[in-house]
Amino acid sequence: IAIPTKQPTQQPQQQPTTRQQNAGQQNADWKWSNPLKFVQEQYRSWAEKGAKQWAIKATFASNEPPASKYVRRLLLASIRHTDMSPPALADFLLVQRPWQTDPRIAAKSLYLILLLIQYEVDLSKFIPITVKTDQVIAHFTQLANDPKNKSLAEAINQLGYIVRTKVMLHAAHPKLEGNLALAEGQNDPAQINQKDTSLEADLARYLSTIANPAKILLSTASSAKDFTIAVMSQPAIEEVSNTVKLLRYIKQKDESQIALNDGNAVLDTAKKFPYLQTAILFPDDSQPPEPPFQRFVVSQ
């Protein structure tokens, strides 16, 4: 794509001087002649506004899905660790956001946390949030029979359960990255199982465990005809997809196939949702098993 060097400008009401014209043209042109610099400056201005403001806007009490532009900015700020660390951001969502007063805030907060931790390499600092997710689950379990909030309460409970279960899996297997990618250099399934003898069994148990809440999320979104819940189920289905990929890659025991069947059933259902069909990298059955790719690898 050719980047234009000049932008058409509107005719001002008063004619500026030649010097003003030249200065104004330079200010209008620099972002086109220096696109990388412009992106850097734009990112810096976003960072100065702060992740807290974006978190509030992304988890606003509305019936609409989380605003994608604020979610993207939060992910970028989280990856770059600008003004707030990801664990601090998760803590902010669960402590300072008024999730107790509105299930929409609670659901969006848990969706955002699950999304954030999938972009982390080390999840050990997220262990304390499991206490708070239990508090959220306990609070909204009481509202599960309320017709007005039943769908959202169900979504909250399932998202919270997946978040806490995922954090505990990573506590037992710290070398797994947030999207269940293996550490660099671990490309031999046999050696992986030798180094971590409990990984396959734990992964199979984890997949069977999260498959049920993921299935409930999809069922809730379908029965309630709620697009917002379908959107918020995305990181949960992504988690199932990544677990299936890794378990297929390291599988040596026949009993792991039961868990894979549970996971694949969820993925088959998710593919029927147009949004999820395009938003998730599903396992490719036509190719040999491959683990989830490492998101943060710098080639020297």
Side-chain angles (χ1 to χ4, degrees), residues 264-275:
N264 286 324
V266 172
L267 299 181
D268 288 342
T269 303
K271 291 175 183 177
K272 298 176 183 178
F273 290 73
Y275 170 78

Side-chain angles (χ1 to χ4, degrees), residues 248-259:
R248 283 180 56 191
Y249 184 68
I250 68 169
K251 177 179 174 293
Q252 292 184 332
K253 301 175 182 177
D254 292 339
E255 49 265 37
S256 295
Q257 189 60 46
I258 298 174

Side-chain angles (χ1 to χ4, degrees), residues 38-48 50-51 54 68-86 89 112 115-116 119-120 296:
F38 172 68
V39 171
Q40 290 172 339
E41 289 299 323
Q42 185 67 53
Y43 173 76
R44 188 174 293 110
S45 69
W46 287 347
E48 288 175 356
W54 304 333
S68 58
K69 64 178 178 180
Y70 299 120
V71 173
R72 288 195 299 269
R73 291 179 184 181
L74 279 168
L75 283 175
L76 185 57
S78 175
I79 292 168
R80 296 291 297 273
H81 289 204
T82 52
D83 62 332
M84 179 178 270
S85 69
L89 179 56
L112 197 53
L115 194 63
L116 287 172
Y119 281 83
E120 289 295 301
F296 307 110

Side-chain angles (χ1 to χ4, degrees), residues 3-24:
I3 300 175
T5 57
K6 291 185 178 182
Q7 278 276 85
T9 56
Q10 294 181 347
Q11 186 70 19
Q13 293 180 352
Q14 295 181 351
Q15 289 287 3
T17 64
T18 303
R19 179 176 297 177
Q20 288 173 330
Q21 286 179 331
N22 292 337

Side-chain angles (χ1 to χ4, degrees), residues 108-143:
K108 291 180 181 181
S109 295
L110 289 172
Y111 149 83
L112 197 53
I113 290 171
L114 182 54
L115 194 63
L116 287 172
I117 61 179
Q118 289 176 334
Y119 281 83
E120 289 295 301
V121 174
D122 180 10
L123 270 67
S124 60
K125 294 181 180 179
F126 288 89
I127 293 176
I129 73 169
T130 57
V131 176
K132 299 182 178 67
T133 55
D134 286 346
Q135 294 172 353
V136 178
I137 293 171
H139 180 81
F140 285 100
T141 297
Q142 302 172 7
L143 300 178

Side-chain angles (χ1 to χ4, degrees), residues 40-295:
Q40 290 172 339
E41 289 299 323
Q42 185 67 53
Y43 173 76
R44 188 174 293 110
S45 69
W46 287 347
E48 288 175 356
K49 293 179 181 178
K52 285 186 179 180
Q53 292 185 31
W54 304 333
I56 292 171
K57 292 178 179 179
T59 58
F60 196 70
S62 73
N63 294 327
E64 298 298 320
S68 58
K69 64 178 178 180
Y70 299 120
V71 173
R72 288 195 299 269
R73 291 179 184 181
L74 279 168
L75 283 175
L76 185 57
S78 175
I79 292 168
R80 296 291 297 273
H81 289 204
T82 52
D83 62 332
M84 179 178 270
S85 69
L89 179 56
D91 191 70
F92 170 78
L93 290 169
L94 294 176
V95 175
Q96 298 191 43
R97 292 293 287 137
W99 56 263
Q100 300 92 335
T101 62
D102 198 311
R104 295 171 296 183
I105 297 176
K108 291 180 181 181
S109 295
L110 289 172
Y111 149 83
L112 197 53
I113 290 171
L114 182 54
L115 194 63
L116 287 172
I117 61 179
Q118 289 176 334
Y119 281 83
E120 289 295 301
V121 174
D122 180 10
L123 270 67
S124 60
K125 294 181 180 179
F126 288 89
I127 293 176
I129 73 169
T130 57
V131 176
K132 299 182 178 67
T133 55
D134 286 346
Q135 294 172 353
V136 178
I137 293 171
H139 180 81
F140 285 100
T141 297
Q142 302 172 7
L143 300 178
N145 295 323
D146 180 2
K148 181 180 178 181
N149 297 309
K150 184 176 181 180
S151 297
L152 274 174
E154 193 71 80
I156 290 164
N157 291 335
Q158 307 313 320
L159 285 169
Y161 185 73
I162 293 175
V163 167
R164 75 172 320 280
T165 308
K166 176 175 177 58
V167 172
M168 298 314 296
L169 172 74
H170 286 267
H173 301 278
K175 290 187 177 181
L176 292 178
E177 297 185 4
N179 68 331
L180 298 181
L182 296 163
E184 194 169 3
Q186 296 189 25
N187 52 12
D188 186 340
Q191 291 183 1
I192 294 168
N193 285 309
Q194 286 178 358
K195 292 179 181 178
D196 192 343
T197 56
S198 64
L199 178 60
E200 183 178 352
D202 287 353
L203 207 61
R205 190 180 305 110
Y206 175 67
L207 179 55
S208 292
T209 300
I210 66 170
N212 189 55
K215 180 181 178 181
I216 294 175
L217 277 170
L218 295 176
S219 176
T220 302
S222 179
S223 60
K225 297 181 180 179
D226 194 325
F227 178 68
T228 297
I229 294 179
V231 170
M232 289 191 291
S233 72
Q234 183 266 325
I237 306 305
E238 190 79 57
E239 188 68 16
V240 173
S241 178
N242 287 334
T243 310
V244 167
K245 290 177 185 177
L246 181 55
L247 186 56
R248 283 180 56 191
Y249 184 68
I250 68 169
K251 177 179 174 293
Q252 292 184 332
K253 301 175 182 177
D254 292 339
E255 49 265 37
S256 295
Q257 189 60 46
I258 298 174
L260 286 170
N261 292 340
D262 293 339
N264 286 324
V266 172
L267 299 181
D268 288 342
T269 303
K271 291 175 183 177
K272 298 176 183 178
F273 290 73
Y275 170 78
L276 296 175
Q277 188 179 32
T278 58
I280 293 172
L281 293 173
F282 292 98
D284 188 350
D285 295 331
S286 65
Q287 299 293 331
E290 287 288 340
F293 65 88
Q294 285 183 281
R295 280 175 165 153

